[in-house]
């Protein structure tokens, strides 16, 4: 069989390859020397133009098709058409031709596309009739947005201009549908890549406020005015001049950043991950300031630019939405006058034109308008809001007068559309005039994987989460509705994390910010004290609920005494739930919500009666009754019923009654009685698997938890949360919420096999199998490079009389908990209770421990030994 010989490349392709390599390296050097984003993109565009034109000319010369040039045009479109070409972006080309030349143009098109790809460019290529291209644009917003950026490259300029005139004329004719379509397409893209520009791992092209929103302004401009050039849109009145100046700077910054990502990866890359943020902040010369890291300074610049893009894009989108004449007439006819200068319709409030300039420039009047909008849950009309934006941009930042403060406090006291209005005040840079600390927090990055948003964004989202309790259900809705004055709750949430970014604990800094805010807003002494306490103690409930044994009366009494009053308990409960909701999606799990409500109900009973609650909750009583019924039905022994009485509330509330009853019966009444059992279930609501391990203690209660965690890790299960309980009847009941990356994780057969495997490992005498490595998530790989907080081990011998409380903070890795448990076993530390909480890259493990004789661990040498070995285990898990 003859050997296959690769076809020889045309000399024009070989020359293009070499030129691309050499010129790209020169442009990379100019970038590293500080060339701006637009300058580098223009140089890349010029390089690609020269290569493509040479290949174009070669294709026509080789084919002998010179006569075709008068009825053909080569068009750059998309990013290449607007000259925003980043180093490794795709090249989008379209070849248009006359219908009579369809057959003749195909060989040339094939040679052209083949040689461009062989030269080393990533090509998007189409061959169209001019009318066909236009019709596709009217039907598909993606094609429309790309072709609106058309730029002539080669062929007949007259033929191109005929096409482009038809495209522009048709875009304006179809403008209403096109504007709606491109906005909807952009919304779908944002839903995938990030609805807020304050994401901590953003996509610089597709996340909100990124380059795509800049392009959206151009696409809407082309449909409305036949122009994509931003300067022309300013001249036509479609884009405010102030917005243009800000987004021009943002474009330069974002293009430079995108070029940096491409050059650093030698490929197209638009995601700004954590290690890259740190590298760029160092390379670009950012310096630490006021306790903020260089990476935080860099990301504040990023968020400031994307914020400006977001607001400009939002204005253009709102301005382009034209309601029908009938809608405007309906709104006007159905409106009523709130006072001399404000009208309110079914959907909006607005200021009539004769009073608009007067109201827009007066901060007190603007706050009063917002308060009216919030009271009636209406939006401020686009035209009124734009007048306010322009007037506030020119207004000097001065301390608000008492009238403005009163309106602000009134606004803060009601849910309505409060969060939306706070975002608008933040956009205007007015919010920081009432709360000066908000200025420093603008775009401040929280450099961990736990928080999804920047500090300012998180605080406003916390307020939003609280206002949504109004329409919620259960205890939280009742608590929120019962508040006569919601001002203190909303205000505390708005400032609760503003102390971040300092070397000092953010809760301590937050207390001082609360005092300054109270003085700024003229709160009385009692209000100031309450605000300071809420901000200073906003994590108190988290620590008690997630890190301690809520069945321990000492924990409840200590927490309740520190809270002091029922009113503060209710405020703190709502703050805790809102804070968790605002951290990011799925952070407030059912598990955490149940723990907070349990702590609330137990503390409430103590504060109301002065006595620690001795009875379980009604829900727990009902669940125990259901489990008991099932045990009686299967003729369970008295020992099994006694076993049920020993279980903590958390063990009976979450799983289904039949699951708990079956596990108790198998553990206690099976003959021979097993030393260990592991049963699993898939929680559909949480999308996670939960495994319960039941073990009968031997004479020495050492190493049982270590063996259980090692067995789970050996099965490739990543432990997210764990809660263990040592029962007085000699049994241990350990519950593990795990992440199972196996494709069969949701199936009963898989869960049963995994449970049986864990049971076999627990019962076996052979050495434990190694921890199974699993494919790490992106966040895990990044955390290895971005660990800014060192692992820490602390001891608490004051909270309980019986135990030493050991708390470990570390960045999570597969098998970390198993290693930690192994260290405790080797050191002969007795483990009585544990709560493990892992979220993305962070683990906080709390253990109630003692010596073998049940005494606390108090010797300094012994404590240092335990701390040292645990930190060593953490370091080994990172290797």
């Amino acid at each position: 069989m003859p050997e296959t010989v690769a076809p020889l490349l045309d000399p024009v392709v070989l020359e293009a390859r070499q030129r691309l390599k050499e010129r790209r390296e020169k442009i990379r050097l100019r970038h590293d020397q500080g060339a701006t984003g637009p300058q580098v993109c223009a140089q890349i565009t010029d390089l690609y133009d020269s290569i493509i034109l040479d290949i174009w000319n070669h294709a026509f010369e080789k084919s002998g098709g010179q006569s075709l040039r008068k009825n053909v045009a080569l068009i750059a479109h998309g990013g290449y058409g607007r000259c925003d070409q980043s180093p490794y972006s795709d090249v989008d080309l379209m070849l248009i031709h006359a219908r009579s030349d369809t057959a003749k143009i195909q060989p040339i098109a094939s040679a052209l596309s083949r040689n461009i790809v062989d030269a080393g460019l990533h090509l998007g290529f189409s061959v169209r009739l001019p009318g066909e291209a236009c019709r596709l644009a009217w039907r598909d917003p993606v094609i429309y947005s790309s072709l609106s950026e058309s730029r002539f490259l080669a062929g007949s300029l007259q033929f191109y201009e005929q096409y482009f005139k038809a495209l522009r004329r048709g875009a304006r004719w179809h403008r209403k549908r096109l504007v709606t379509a491109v906005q909807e397409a952009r919304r779908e893209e944002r839903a995938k890549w990030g609805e807020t520009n304050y994401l901590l791992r953003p996509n610089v092209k597709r996340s909100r406020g990124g380059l795509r929103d800049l392009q959206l302004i151009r696409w809407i401009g082309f449909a409305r005015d036949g122009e994509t050039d931003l300067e022309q849109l300013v001249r036509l009145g479609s884009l405010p001049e102030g917005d243009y100046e800000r987004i021009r700077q943002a474009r330069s910054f974002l293009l430079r950043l995108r070029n940096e990502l491409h050059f650093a990866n030698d490929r197209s890359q638009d995601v700004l991950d954590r290690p890259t943020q740190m590298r760029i902040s160092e390379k670009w010369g950012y310096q630490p300031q006021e306790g903020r890291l260089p990476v935080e300074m860099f990301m504040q610049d990023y968020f400031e630019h994307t914020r400006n893009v977001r607001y400009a894009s939002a204005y253009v989108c709102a301005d382009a939405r034209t309601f029908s004449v009938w809608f405007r007439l309906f709104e006007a006819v159905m409106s009523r006058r709130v006072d001399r200068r404000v009208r309110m319709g079914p959907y909006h409030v607005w200021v009539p034109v004769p009073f608009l300039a007067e109201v827009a420039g007066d901060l007190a009047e603007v706050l009063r308008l917002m308060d009216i909008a919030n009271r009636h849950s209406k939006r401020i009309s686009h035209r009124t809001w734009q007048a306010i934006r322009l007037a506030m941009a020119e207004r000097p930042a001065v301390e608000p007068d008492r009238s403005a403060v009163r309106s602000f406090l009134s606004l803060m006291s009601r849910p309505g559309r409060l969060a939306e209005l706070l975002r608008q005040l933040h956009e205007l840079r007015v919010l920081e005039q009432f709360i000066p600390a908000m200025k420093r927090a603008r775009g401040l990055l929280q450099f961990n994987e736990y928080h999804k948003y920047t500090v300012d964004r998180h605080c406003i989202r916390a307020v939003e989460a609280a206002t949504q309790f109004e329409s919620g259900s259960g205890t939280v809705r009742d608590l929120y509705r019962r508040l006569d004055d919601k001002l203190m709750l909303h205000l505390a949430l708005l400032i609760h994390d503003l102390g971040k970014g300092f070397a000092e604990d953010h809760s301590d800094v937050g207390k001082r910010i609360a005092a300054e805010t109270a003085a700024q807003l003229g709160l009385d002494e009692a209000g100031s004290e309450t605000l300071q306490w809420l901000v200073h103690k906003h994590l108190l409930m988290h620590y008690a609920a997630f890190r301690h044994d809520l069945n321990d009366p000492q924990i409840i009494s200590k927490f309740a005494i520190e809270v002091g009053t029922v009113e503060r308990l209710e405020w703190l409960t709502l703050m805790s739930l809102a804070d968790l909701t605002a951290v990011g999606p799925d952070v407030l799990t059912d598990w955490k919500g149940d723990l907070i409500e349990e702590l609330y109900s137990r503390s409430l009973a103590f504060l109301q009666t002065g006595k620690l609650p001795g009875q379980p909750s009604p829900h727990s009583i009902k669940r125990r009754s259901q489990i008991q019924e099932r045990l009686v039905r299967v003729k369970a022994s008295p020992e099994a019923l006694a076993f049920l009485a020993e279980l903590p509330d958390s063990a009976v509330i979450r799983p289904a009654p039949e699951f708990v009853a079956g596990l108790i019966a198998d553990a206690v009444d099976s003959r021979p009685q097993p030393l260990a059992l592991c049963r699993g279930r898939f929680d559909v609501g949480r999308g996670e698997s939960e495994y319960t391990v039941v073990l009968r203690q031997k004479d020495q209660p050492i190493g049982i938890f270590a063996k259980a965690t090692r067995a789970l890790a050996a099965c490739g299960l990543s432990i997210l949360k764990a809660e263990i309980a040592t029962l007085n009847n000699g049994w241990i009941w350990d519950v593990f919420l795990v992440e199972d990356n196996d494709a069969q994780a949701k199936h009963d057969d898989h869960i049963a096999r995994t449970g049986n495997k864990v049971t076999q490992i627990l019962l076996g005498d052979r050495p434990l199998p190694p921890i199974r490595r699993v494919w790490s998530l992106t966040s895990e790989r990044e955390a290895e490079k971005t660990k800014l907080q060192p692992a820490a081990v602390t001891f608490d011998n004051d909270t309980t009389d019986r135990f030493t409380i050991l708390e470990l903070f570390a960045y999570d890795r597969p098998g970390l908990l198993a290693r930690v448990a192994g260290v405790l076993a080797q050191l002969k530390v007795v483990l009585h209770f544990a709560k493990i909480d892992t979220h993305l890259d962070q683990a906080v493990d709390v253990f109630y421990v003692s010596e073998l004789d049940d005494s606390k661990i108090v010797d300094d040498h012994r404590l240092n030994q335990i701390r040292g070995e645990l930190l060593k285990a953490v370091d080994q898990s990172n290797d």
Side-chain angles (χ1 to χ4, degrees):
M1 186 173 181
E3 183 179 348
T4 302
V5 179
L8 295 176
L9 296 177
D10 281 333
V12 69
V13 173
L14 296 173
E15 191 278 332
R17 278 187 174 184
Q18 187 64 26
R19 193 186 339 162
L20 179 63
K21 180 180 178 181
E22 293 175 355
R23 288 279 305 279
R24 193 180 264 162
E25 284 305 310
K26 289 181 180 179
I27 296 172
R28 182 198 297 261
L29 180 60
R30 294 190 188 110
H31 166 80
D32 289 340
Q33 291 171 342
T36 67
Q39 286 173 341
V40 168
C41 289
Q43 290 169 6
I44 290 288
T45 302
D46 288 344
L47 169 61
Y48 288 4
D49 282 357
S50 65
I51 289 172
I52 290 169
L53 287 175
D54 283 350
I55 294 174
W56 164 269
N57 290 327
H58 176 75
F60 273 91
E61 290 170 3
K62 192 172 182 179
S63 67
Q66 298 293 343
S67 60
L68 296 176
R69 291 194 183 222
K70 63 181 179 179
N71 289 324
V72 70
L74 184 63
I75 300 169
H77 58 92
Y80 183 38
R82 79 181 156 260
C83 300
D84 279 355
Q85 194 70 16
S86 290
Y88 291 93
S89 296
D90 291 350
V91 171
D92 291 323
L93 290 173
M94 180 174 67
L95 182 62
I96 57 172
H97 62 90
R99 185 178 298 275
S100 58
D101 295 330
T102 299
K104 299 176 184 176
I105 204 67
Q106 288 303 324
I108 297 176
S110 297
L112 178 67
S113 60
R114 181 179 63 251
N115 287 343
I116 290 174
V117 171
D118 287 343
L121 299 180
H122 298 283
L123 180 65
F125 186 69
S126 60
V127 181
R128 305 282 185 204
L129 298 171
E132 177 191 12
C134 291
R135 286 190 296 275
L136 287 171
W138 313 152
R139 292 199 296 265
D140 188 325
V142 175
I143 295 176
Y144 161 75
S145 59
S146 188
L147 294 187
S148 68
E149 308 279 9
S150 293
R151 177 170 62 90
F152 174 74
L153 271 182
S156 168
L157 179 59
Q158 183 180 6
F159 193 68
Y160 164 79
E161 287 178 341
Q162 290 174 356
Y163 146 79
F164 194 68
K165 286 178 182 177
L167 181 72
R168 174 186 278 150
R169 185 170 56 250
R172 299 187 72 178
W173 177 258
H174 295 281
R175 62 182 177 274
K176 186 174 182 179
R177 183 164 55 82
L178 288 174
V179 166
T180 300
V182 293
Q183 289 188 58
E184 180 59 32
R186 179 66 185 122
R187 274 192 292 271
E188 291 175 1
E189 187 176 50
R190 285 202 309 261
K192 178 179 179 181
W193 294 100
E195 268 296 343
T196 172
N197 55 302
Y198 295 110
L199 292 168
L200 303 187
R201 192 175 178 272
N203 184 301
V204 299
K205 179 180 179 181
R206 295 181 172 87
S207 292
R208 192 163 194 181
L211 288 165
R212 192 70 94 200
D213 277 342
L214 272 171
Q215 296 156 17
L216 181 60
I217 296 173
R218 297 170 61 98
W219 303 335
I220 292 174
F222 190 72
R224 290 185 63 188
D225 305 306
E227 291 285 351
T228 57
D229 183 77
L230 297 181
E231 287 191 51
Q232 291 296 325
L233 294 178
V234 172
R235 183 179 61 80
L236 293 168
S238 295
L239 179 66
E241 188 170 353
D243 283 349
Y244 167 70
E245 291 300 325
R246 285 186 287 269
I247 65 176
R248 185 177 60 82
Q249 296 173 25
R251 174 176 176 266
S252 181
F253 178 91
L254 292 172
L255 286 178
R256 184 187 180 205
L257 178 55
R258 191 177 188 220
N259 293 337
E260 177 71 34
L261 294 173
H262 281 221
F263 279 132
N265 292 277
D266 288 323
R267 61 183 177 85
S268 179
Q269 173 60 272
D270 296 325
V271 175
L272 185 58
D273 61 27
R274 299 304 183 79
T276 303
Q277 293 169 19
M278 296 178 70
R279 180 185 62 78
I280 293 176
S281 65
E282 180 179 352
K283 180 178 178 181
W284 288 10
Y286 281 84
Q287 299 298 319
Q289 291 182 17
E290 300 175 343
R292 286 174 290 177
L293 299 167
V295 65
E296 293 172 332
M297 302 295 295
F298 161 65
M299 289 304 291
Q300 273 194 301
D301 277 356
Y302 172 83
F303 292 131
E304 179 67 13
H305 286 302
T306 55
R307 184 189 70 87
N308 289 335
V309 170
R310 176 194 170 191
Y311 290 144
S313 174
Y315 165 77
V316 171
C317 288
D319 198 50
R321 286 195 295 266
T322 55
F323 296 108
S324 69
V325 174
W326 290 111
F327 180 89
R328 292 197 300 271
L329 181 61
F330 172 76
E331 181 98 306
V333 170
M334 298 300 293
S335 69
R336 63 183 177 86
R337 192 171 70 175
V338 177
D339 59 31
R340 188 172 64 92
R341 291 180 288 191
V342 178
R343 293 196 70 86
M344 180 167 61
Y347 304 101
H348 297 87
V349 296
W350 65 91
V351 178
V353 173
F355 308 107
L356 190 53
E358 178 184 352
V359 170
D362 187 325
L363 180 59
E365 287 296 313
V366 170
L367 265 295
R368 193 176 68 85
L369 177 67
M370 287 186 154
D371 188 27
I372 292 171
N374 195 45
R375 284 172 186 263
H376 299 280
S377 197
K378 308 289 186 185
R379 293 183 181 275
I380 297 174
S381 74
H382 170 65
R383 295 297 181 183
T384 296
W385 180 246
Q386 180 56 18
I388 291 171
R389 279 190 70 206
L390 296 176
M392 288 293 110
E394 298 174 358
R395 176 183 175 272
V398 296
E399 186 173 331
D401 59 26
R402 296 314 304 168
S403 176
V405 169
R406 283 195 300 272
S407 292
F408 178 73
L409 293 176
S410 179
L411 171 68
M412 289 294 298
S413 66
R414 296 175 179 83
R417 308 184 75 93
L418 178 58
E420 175 188 322
L421 294 166
L422 287 175
R423 291 188 186 100
Q424 291 179 324
L425 284 175
H426 197 34
E427 169 197 345
L428 298 176
R429 298 183 180 270
V430 167
L431 189 55
E432 61 202 43
Q433 295 173 31
F434 294 94
I435 304 174
M438 188 63 75
K439 181 177 182 180
R440 184 182 184 278
R442 179 183 291 274
L444 180 61
L445 173 147
Q446 301 182 69
F447 211 74
N448 58 58
E449 282 286 348
Y450 182 69
H451 275 277
K452 186 179 176 65
Y453 305 105
T454 56
V455 171
D456 53 338
R457 181 72 174 178
H458 166 71
C459 288
I460 295 175
R461 283 180 64 87
V463 176
E464 183 173 36
T467 62
Q468 290 171 347
F469 293 157
E470 177 87 27
S471 56
S473 60
T475 302
V476 66
R477 178 197 61 189
D478 296 339
L479 287 177
Y480 186 76
R481 289 183 174 181
R482 199 156 59 227
L483 289 178
D484 293 328
D485 185 359
K486 299 174 174 59
L487 168 64
M488 204 57 65
L489 173 67
H490 295 160
L491 196 54
L493 285 168
L494 186 58
I495 65 177
H496 76 282
D497 266 0
L498 297 188
K500 289 193 170 179
F502 295 91
E504 193 177 351
D505 184 275
H506 82 280
S507 295
D508 294 332
V509 179
K511 182 179 180 181
R512 293 198 296 272
I513 291 173
E516 295 164 1
T517 301
Q520 176 86 355
L521 299 178
L523 301 185
D524 59 24
E525 185 176 348
S528 176
E529 181 185 352
T530 298
L531 185 64
Q532 291 179 61
W533 188 89
L534 286 173
V535 173
H536 191 223
K537 301 294 184 180
H538 73 273
L539 294 177
L540 184 63
M541 202 164 206
H542 294 181
Y543 290 143
F546 306 150
R547 304 186 185 185
H548 293 300
D549 182 2
L550 298 185
N551 295 304
D552 185 343
Q554 284 187 283
I555 296 298
I556 302 299
S557 62
K558 182 176 180 180
F559 170 78
I561 289 169
E562 187 166 3
V563 172
T565 68
V566 172
E567 185 178 40
R568 284 188 173 183
L569 175 64
E570 292 179 342
W571 277 330
L572 200 59
T573 301
L574 291 168
M575 278 195 73
S576 300
L577 293 169
D579 188 11
L580 286 169
T581 303
V583 166
D586 304 322
V587 173
L588 181 59
T589 60
D590 291 341
W591 180 79
K592 290 184 177 180
D594 290 345
L595 287 175
I596 287 178
E597 288 200 24
E598 182 181 350
L599 178 58
Y600 164 75
S601 62
R602 290 172 181 255
S603 302
L604 179 65
F606 178 81
L607 290 171
Q608 288 177 333
T609 67
K611 298 178 182 179
L612 287 169
Q615 297 296 324
S617 67
H619 185 39
S620 170
I621 294 172
K622 180 180 179 181
R623 276 304 180 95
R624 288 180 190 276
S625 176
Q626 293 171 337
I627 296 168
Q628 183 171 327
E629 288 176 6
R630 284 163 173 78
L631 288 172
V632 170
R633 197 180 302 155
V634 298
K635 297 183 171 58
S637 67
E639 290 80 6
L641 297 175
F643 189 107
L644 171 61
E646 288 285 330
L647 284 179
D649 284 354
S650 59
V652 301
I653 289 176
R654 287 192 293 275
E658 55 269 22
F659 177 85
V660 180
L663 193 48
I664 292 174
D666 288 344
V668 178
D669 289 345
S670 295
R671 293 292 181 268
Q673 194 178 60
L675 291 174
L677 280 175
C678 177
R679 295 285 167 80
R681 66 189 186 90
F682 183 76
D683 190 318
V684 177
R686 291 182 296 195
E688 294 160 338
S689 299
E690 183 179 277
Y691 288 87
T692 302
V693 175
V694 185
L695 303 100
R696 186 147 46 93
Q697 291 193 76
K698 297 182 180 179
D699 294 336
Q700 193 173 339
I702 294 291
I704 296 175
F705 184 67
K707 200 168 185 180
T709 54
R710 187 64 179 264
L712 291 165
C715 292
L717 305 178
S718 177
I719 298 173
L720 302 175
K721 295 178 178 66
E723 189 166 341
I724 75 166
T726 303
L727 310 183
N728 292 328
N729 56 15
W731 288 82
I732 289 177
W733 186 281
D734 297 354
V735 179
F736 299 91
L737 186 68
V738 305
E739 182 178 58
D740 190 345
N741 291 317
D742 194 295
Q744 304 298 313
K746 298 180 183 180
H747 297 287
D748 292 341
D749 289 345
H750 170 79
I751 291 175
R753 285 195 301 271
T754 302
N756 291 336
K757 184 176 180 181
V758 172
T759 301
Q760 292 168 8
I761 293 172
L762 291 171
L763 294 174
D765 294 328
R766 289 179 295 180
L768 290 173
I771 296 170
R772 191 178 116 197
R773 303 298 297 182
V774 296
W775 288 107
S776 61
L777 301 174
T778 301
S779 61
E780 292 174 342
R781 296 195 300 270
E782 291 178 11
E784 194 66 44
K785 303 176 183 178
T786 60
K787 292 186 294 184
L788 300 182
Q789 295 175 271
V793 176
T794 61
F795 299 95
D796 174 6
N797 274 308
D798 299 323
T799 298
T800 73
D801 293 334
R802 292 184 55 199
F803 307 118
T804 296
I805 299 176
L806 186 162
E807 183 174 309
L808 168 69
F809 167 84
Y811 285 87
D812 190 42
R813 286 294 183 271
L816 171 63
L817 181 58
R819 290 185 176 90
V820 168
V823 167
L824 295 177
Q826 291 168 12
L827 295 175
K828 306 298 182 185
V829 174
V830 182
L831 184 57
H832 300 271
F833 173 83
K835 274 189 176 176
I836 314 301
D837 187 16
T838 303
H839 181 77
L840 293 178
D841 69 338
Q842 296 179 326
V844 179
D845 303 343
V846 178
F847 306 98
Y848 281 44
V849 298
S850 72
E851 299 285 17
L852 283 172
D853 61 1
D854 284 342
S855 64
K856 288 185 177 183
I857 306 173
V858 295
D859 180 73
D860 288 341
H861 175 74
R862 175 76 161 146
L863 294 173
N864 288 332
Q865 177 193 29
I866 296 171
R867 178 185 289 110
E869 291 301 318
L870 287 174
L871 293 176
K872 190 184 300 182
V874 171
D875 289 340
Q876 289 172 351
S877 72
N878 292 333
D879 292 340

